[in-house]
Amino acid sequence: MYKTRAATPRLRPGPNGLPRGQVTEIQRSRMLAAAVDAVEEVGYARMTVAQVISRARVSRKTFYDVFADREDCFLAAFEQAVSQTRLIAREAYEREGDVWREGVRAALGRLLMFMDEEPGLAKLCVVEALAAGEKVLERRAQLLDEIAAVIDQGRHLTNTTREPPAVTAEGIVGGIFAVLHTRLLDEADEPLTDLLGPLMSMIVLPYLGARAASRELARPAMEVARDRQTRSQTRSRDPLEGLNMRLTYRTVRVLMVIAEHPGASNREIAEGSGIIDQGQISKLLNRLGRLNLVENRGEGQEKGAANAWHLTARGAQVERATRPR
């Protein structure tokens, strides 16, 4: 006999279903995940509302109840990705205290690692945002200004009698994004983390001079990760330390859904995190359970009841550390 793929369970608000607000949030999350997938596959220029709702398994009416148009949907996905990357970069930067050079290196290294892990989100933010509408371009410009403000702090560390002009940081950020844009379009096999040394050399050159730039080229690309492990022995424990799992976009979403809805079932978590395949969500939850990030307090399928997933103490720490701000 041929097996047919089970349809995605319908979300029904009301006394016997989920609260209407939760249904809307779950549907929104599914559409954002679907938009990221569509953009990665066909690009923003060819992304359609039909592609998004088909992947998210929602109606066209549901889409327009949440988003004004496809640009609005893309902007929401862009904002969500920016929030996640901002948190990652800020935490890496702040671990270095007041040392500008080391903080920038740590943040840049962590962002490059994230882009290697999430090429779809990287392409959305760096490449496809340029093809989106005016609102997205304005938000992108604000993001570049934020990054340039951090880079510009190096201007006050220069050893020369004359500081580089303030526009230097803008040029550096523009150059970095141009390099990343090219690499993401080429889809080369080399990881983006290989660019850490060259990009850091470009950043410090106008502020700290040629010698400092040369030293950046000589440093190992993954030195950031080793430094963080060493420092964790003397600082408060990093909740991500020793976590034998790559935290992808959807993994973070799963942890967020469980944090916001303790006791959620497999189906509810899948709906909230944008994962359509029930086998995939089961495997992911079981793996998170083996890592002691979640625990199932329900009766499970053996007794005919739904699973009820909760975060463990460590799972709550990881969720807080990775939650977009």
Side-chain angles (χ1 to χ4, degrees):
M1 295 180 63
Y2 293 99
K3 293 183 179 180
T4 58
R5 183 174 179 177
T8 303
R10 294 179 62 85
L11 297 174
R12 299 183 182 277
N16 298 320
L18 301 173
R20 184 173 298 277
Q22 183 178 346
V23 170
T24 301
E25 178 58 29
I26 288 173
Q27 290 172 330
R28 183 178 186 275
S29 298
R30 284 166 52 184
M31 287 186 283
L32 291 181
V36 173
D37 290 343
V39 169
E40 182 178 13
E41 181 177 338
V42 302
Y44 176 75
R46 292 192 293 170
M47 183 192 85
T48 64
V49 172
Q51 291 169 341
V52 174
I53 63 177
S54 174
R55 284 172 166 82
R57 304 291 180 89
V58 299
S59 67
R60 186 172 292 270
K61 179 182 182 302
T62 297
F63 179 91
Y64 285 107
D65 283 344
V66 178
F67 303 112
D69 49 31
R70 72 179 188 125
E71 180 186 350
D72 189 35
C73 179
F74 182 93
L75 177 60
F78 180 82
E79 290 283 10
Q80 188 174 73
V82 168
S83 295
Q84 188 173 354
T85 54
R86 181 188 287 112
L87 174 63
I88 289 171
R90 181 190 297 127
E91 291 185 343
Y93 186 93
E94 291 177 350
R95 288 192 188 101
E96 301 298 333
D98 296 326
V99 184
W100 171 81
R101 177 177 170 182
E102 295 304 317
V104 170
R105 183 180 177 87
L108 178 59
R110 187 63 187 88
L111 286 177
L112 293 174
M113 290 172 61
F114 176 81
M115 290 183 178
D116 282 333
E117 294 167 355
E118 299 286 355
L121 290 178
K123 188 175 180 182
L124 182 145
C125 291
V126 177
V127 178
E128 298 300 334
L130 291 171
E134 183 177 346
K135 293 180 181 178
V136 177
L137 291 176
E138 289 178 357
R139 186 65 188 90
R140 179 181 181 275
Q142 293 172 3
L143 173 63
L144 297 185
D145 288 343
E146 291 177 21
I147 300 173
V150 176
I151 300 298
D152 187 58
Q153 295 176 23
R155 185 160 53 98
H156 308 298
L157 302 176
T158 181
N159 296 323
T160 61
T161 56
R162 296 179 59 184
E163 289 184 355
V167 74
T168 301
E170 296 180 36
I172 291 172
V173 173
I176 291 173
F177 269 73
V179 171
L180 294 175
H181 186 279
T182 300
R183 295 298 192 279
L184 289 169
L185 282 180
D186 289 345
E187 297 183 350
D189 294 333
E190 295 79 10
L192 293 176
T193 48
D194 286 354
L195 295 172
L196 179 57
L199 293 180
M200 275 302 300
S201 178
M202 184 170 70
I203 291 171
V204 304
L205 177 61
Y207 304 122
L208 304 181
R211 184 173 298 179
S214 296
R215 285 198 293 268
E216 290 297 334
L217 288 173
R219 295 174 69 174
M222 301 310 296
E223 187 174 339
V224 173
R226 290 199 297 271
D227 286 349
R228 182 175 63 188
Q229 184 175 2
T230 300
R231 288 191 304 275
S232 67
Q233 297 174 0
T234 57
R235 299 187 183 184
S236 59
R237 181 174 177 83
D238 181 356
L240 304 183
E241 179 185 353
L243 187 63
N244 188 26
M245 181 181 189
R246 189 176 69 180
L247 289 178
T248 65
Y249 171 76
R250 283 190 172 83
T251 304
V252 172
R253 283 295 309 165
V254 165
L255 294 175
M256 287 177 59
V257 171
I258 298 175
E260 294 168 357
H261 308 289
S265 66
N266 289 37
R267 177 183 64 82
E268 292 166 343
I269 296 169
E271 295 283 355
S273 57
I275 299 176
I276 296 175
D277 189 285
Q278 292 297 309
Q280 184 180 0
I281 191 64
S282 295
K283 290 180 181 178
L284 179 55
L285 287 169
N286 287 333
R287 187 176 183 191
L288 292 173
R290 291 194 298 271
L291 292 171
N292 194 32
L293 298 181
V294 301
E295 58 182 349
N296 179 19
R297 300 179 188 173
E299 296 294 336
Q301 295 182 355
E302 293 183 0
K303 296 185 179 180
N307 293 326
W309 293 96
H310 295 257
L311 295 180
T312 63
R314 189 183 183 194
Q317 291 178 338
V318 171
E319 191 277 331
R320 286 193 296 269
T322 56
R323 172 181 284 269
R325 297 294 193 269

